[in-house]
Amino acid sequence: MKKTTRFKQMLASPELEFICEAHNGLSAKIVEEAGFKGIWGSGLSISAAMGVRDNNEASWTQVLEVLEFMAEQTSVPILLDADTGYGNFNNMRRLVQKLEQRDIAAACIEDKIFPKTNSFIKGEAQPLADIDEFCGKIKAGKDAAKDSDFCIVARTEAFIAGWGFDEALKRCEAYRLAGADAVLVHSKLGVADEIFAFMKEWDNRLPVVIVPTKYYATPTEKFREAGISLVIWANHILRSGIRAMKDMAAYLMQHQSLAAIEKELPTVEEIFRLQGMQEYERWEKLYLPKTSAPGKAVLLAASKGTNFGNLTDERPKAMLEVEGKPVLAHAVSAFKTGGLRDVTVVTGYKPEAFSLTSVKYAHNAEWEATGEVGSLMTAKKAIEGKCVIGYGDVVVRPFIVENLLRAKGEITVVVDYKQPSKKNRSSVDWARVSPARVESQPLKDVDYSLVRIDDRIAPEEASGEWVGLVGLSEAGAKTLVQTIDQLAASGAEVKKWTLPQLLNHLIESGAKVEVQYVHDNWIDIDDIADLSDLYKF
Ligand code: SPV
Ligand code: MG
């Protein structure tokens, strides 16, 4: 049912109905969730929530914007407190059109002069509108509504302005004849006498709406007995909000700690719920491309490094600085840029020297007696899902990591097909790859598989040099961890193995290790000369 129709029915129902004030999307939602069948878009509360006076200081379009949020977040009808209609008959016509566009069910206009002042501020000094002029405004509003169920509640301020009973009655009758759907009779007395006197004489000619802000102590039953149609709790969500905000601010100012009160507060998850996060997630599932979890990286950095003289007395080679940051930071940055933000570094030698805060750490306490696989075992938790294993002293360009994350195979290694000639390196992890690479053939057209990685392969027999990266799919990660566990359980000293030994074992056991070829774009920090190469990298 339309919101307009629901509101019209509330007015017509013989029951005493209640609506409650709200002043923004959040409070409107809270009011609806409490069970109210309608919402009062209070001029006082909406302006106060903006921090301005209830004197039409907020423009009517600013009020409209607030209403848009309120209506969007709720399914119950909203009766706008439209003050005087923000001008003459023509402003009223335009207002009603705009309210209908925003799914507002009804408007209440009061017989004062624009710009108005809140009824509880010097009410007697406030001039009332000319009756005929006000009736014209009611008619204009009704005629402007496309939906015949859009209601106009005509509010008289006759009691507020001190004009008394006869004037109130005369005005309400005129407003009824002008086409109002209900009358709102406002009173600033602490008792409801004016209201009850009016009700007696009015004799149910049109539904009557009241705002018992000042005569709050009157039992609700009396309103029911008097035949009132609708009660508006006009400012109580705002007022209780003010109390809560004041208490909280004062508490925090005084205690400088959340510890004792955090549990009493609505959680941030409750905020997310009120914001409708569940609905977002439903659509996200439907429309957002499914990206697999970004994956994790494990960088081995346990060894001291042998070719750096006394530079490594205080720190391992991965923590030697180039361009004001350690080698490890250069390595990590490529992994993060390449798409892996969850990086675990395995330390061994001088773990206290590791100062990077953007990574997690695992520590291989037996680093001196074990090998790379021993280090890897300390970071087993990180070898799950998609992941990449690398070294803290091997710096690669981010695209190499990106490509590795796109690899289709379960286990993939990166091999540089260059034949390094720059120096006599103590040991090079040569890779033999099948099939042999044909230079004229684009790399992407061939599925290359690793046959073996071994520093004893003669350079001329090698297909290239292993870059020191192993990419694992979710299944590949499982295979790797299971293989290590099985080897350890069978008594093999797998802890002492190098990563190439493990890869060779996997190949011998029938696993397929795919190869991604690269050329240059990486650097392995083996000695002091490499440090200056990294500077230029
Ligand atoms: C409002 O809530 O803004 C009202 C009711 O108009 S009163 O403040 O009592 O005038
Ligand atoms: Mg108001």
Side-chain angles (χ1 to χ4, degrees):
M1 197 193 293
K2 289 181 301 182
K3 290 182 181 180
T4 48
T5 313
R6 269 148 66 193
F7 185 72
K8 198 178 173 104
Q9 289 187 358
M10 275 176 88
L11 286 177
S13 103
E15 304 296 317
L16 176 62
E17 304 275 7
F18 300 87
I19 63 174
C20 180
E21 162 264 321
H23 46 272
N24 54 26
L26 178 70
S27 56
K29 196 153 184 174
I30 288 171
V31 165
E32 177 173 9
E33 284 190 358
F36 281 97
K37 283 157 68 181
I39 294 169
W40 171 241
S42 158
L44 173 64
S45 298
I46 291 174
S47 57
M50 290 176 178
V52 297
R53 287 172 283 250
D54 188 13
N55 288 53
N56 297 117
E57 288 186 345
S59 74
W60 71 279
T61 53
Q62 287 174 321
V63 173
L64 268 188
E65 281 189 15
V66 175
L67 286 168
E68 191 168 292
F69 285 107
M70 290 169 60
E72 210 175 51
Q73 300 310 322
T74 51
S75 62
V76 294
I78 297 175
L79 168 61
L80 171 66
D81 168 11
D83 294 344
T84 59
Y86 313 114
N88 68 6
F89 72 95
N90 189 49
N91 301 88
M92 184 64 191
R93 292 174 58 237
R94 197 158 164 76
L95 173 69
V96 170
Q97 287 160 359
K98 294 290 153 190
L99 291 178
E100 284 195 301
Q101 286 168 5
R102 282 158 184 79
D103 206 15
I104 303 302
C108 173
I109 49 171
E110 63 198 49
D111 52 5
K112 290 205 302 236
I113 310 287
F114 179 87
K116 51 68 61 88
T117 296
N118 185 274
S119 305
F120 300 135
I121 300 171
K122 294 193 214 132
E124 252 129 75
Q126 297 192 29
L128 292 190
D130 172 81
I131 295 181
D132 292 338
E133 196 264 345
F134 194 71
C135 286
K137 225 186 263 185
I138 295 169
K139 284 189 193 133
K142 283 301 287 183
D143 290 345
K146 285 201 184 102
D147 179 347
S148 60
D149 286 349
F150 184 94
C151 288
I152 296 208
V153 176
R155 158 172 164 177
T156 185
E157 296 278 289
F159 286 126
I160 298 282
W163 288 63
F165 176 82
D166 292 338
E167 183 72 16
L169 206 60
K170 179 172 83 181
R171 284 178 172 264
C172 286
E173 178 59 11
Y175 304 160
R176 181 180 78 84
L177 295 173
D181 298 280
V183 292
L184 188 158
V185 183
H186 204 9
S187 169
K188 61 186 179 196
L189 300 185
V191 289
D193 297 0
E194 288 174 335
I195 302 294
F196 293 141
F198 176 88
M199 288 309 291
K200 236 188 219 150
E201 194 64 29
W202 182 249
D203 196 25
N204 212 15
R205 284 177 247 172
L206 264 190
V208 175
V209 182
I210 59 165
V211 183
T213 300
K214 292 290 178 186
Y215 47 96
Y216 58 85
T218 309
T220 299
E221 203 39 47
K222 295 249 188 286
F223 300 145
R224 212 169 259 124
E225 283 164 14
I228 283 158
S229 173
L230 182 69
V231 166
I232 298 177
W233 308 123
N235 47 50
H236 304 86
I237 302 301
L238 178 79
R239 284 162 66 192
S240 60
I242 291 173
R243 179 180 58 196
M245 288 189 270
K246 280 184 172 180
D247 286 354
M248 191 69 229
Y251 182 94
L252 287 176
M253 190 62 210
Q254 186 189 345
H255 295 274
Q256 300 186 341
S257 165
L258 291 165
I261 46 139
E262 170 62 26
K263 293 221 156 38
E264 293 167 23
L265 294 174
T267 59
V268 288
E269 285 71 25
E270 171 60 1
I271 305 176
F272 302 150
R273 188 193 68 77
L274 285 162
Q275 288 172 310
M277 210 49 209
Q278 314 86 313
E279 196 251 12
Y280 172 93
E281 280 158 6
R282 214 170 50 238
W283 294 112
E284 184 182 52
K285 275 201 198 100
L286 195 62
Y287 296 127
L288 207 64
K290 289 183 187 46
T291 47
S292 48
K296 298 181 175 185
V298 177
L299 299 192
L300 305 177
S303 71
K304 174 179 176 182
T306 45
N307 306 319
F308 297 87
N310 60 8
L311 286 180
T312 44
D313 284 356
E314 302 299 329
R315 66 197 64 209
K317 63 172 170 173
M319 290 309 288
L320 295 176
E321 292 205 351
V322 173
E323 274 198 297
K325 61 179 190 182
V327 171
L328 178 66
H330 291 271
V332 167
S333 132
F335 275 82
K336 295 213 169 184
T337 313
L340 294 173
R341 278 174 283 281
D342 185 325
V343 178
T344 301
V345 173
V346 182
T347 63
Y349 174 66
K350 301 265 181 209
E352 67 282 2
F354 286 82
S355 53
L356 265 65
T357 51
S358 62
V359 298
K360 298 172 186 164
Y361 290 101
H363 180 60
N364 179 9
E366 297 176 284
W367 68 275
E368 270 177 301
T370 60
E372 291 161 358
V373 176
S375 288
L376 207 52
M377 287 163 81
T378 67
K380 233 197 264 178
K381 270 201 309 222
I383 306 172
E384 55 159 24
K386 223 174 184 16
C387 61
V388 175
I389 302 169
Y391 292 90
D393 56 0
V394 174
V395 182
V396 301
R397 297 258 185 242
F399 79 86
I400 295 182
V401 177
E402 265 172 53
N403 284 346
L404 199 46
L405 285 173
R406 280 198 283 267
K408 296 273 181 291
E410 295 192 358
I411 307 175
T412 308
V413 294
V414 180
V415 170
D416 186 338
Y417 59 74
K418 76 181 168 182
Q419 303 289 315
S421 57
K422 65 169 185 167
K423 58 192 171 173
N424 298 325
R425 297 174 66 177
S426 50
S427 110
V428 174
D429 288 315
W430 293 114
R432 282 233 317 275
V433 177
S434 169
R437 193 175 62 88
V438 179
E439 256 178 64
S440 59
Q441 202 159 22
L443 288 172
K444 63 173 174 45
D445 291 355
V446 187
D447 282 336
Y448 292 105
S449 295
L450 184 68
V451 178
R452 186 169 184 81
I453 297 177
D454 203 319
D455 58 2
R456 292 164 304 183
I457 296 173
E460 58 279 9
E461 305 264 303
S463 317
E465 183 181 1
W466 179 48
V467 170
L469 291 178
V470 182
L472 301 167
S473 69
E474 189 172 348
K478 278 201 185 108
T479 305
L480 191 96
V481 171
Q482 273 167 11
T483 305
I484 296 174
D485 287 347
Q486 280 160 8
L487 283 163
S490 72
E493 282 207 295
V494 64
K495 265 195 208 175
K496 296 192 175 171
W497 288 14
T498 61
L499 215 41
Q501 275 177 293
L502 182 64
L503 289 167
N504 293 337
H505 173 83
L506 282 161
I507 294 168
E508 283 154 21
S509 325
K512 182 171 159 61
V513 176
E514 296 191 1
V515 170
Q516 278 186 351
Y517 271 122
V518 293
H519 184 40
D520 286 337
N521 291 297
W522 66 287
I523 184 164
D524 177 8
I525 309 299
D526 252 350
D527 54 31
I528 292 173
D530 289 333
L531 289 175
S532 62
D533 284 350
L534 178 56
Y535 190 82
K536 290 178 248 153
F537 183 67

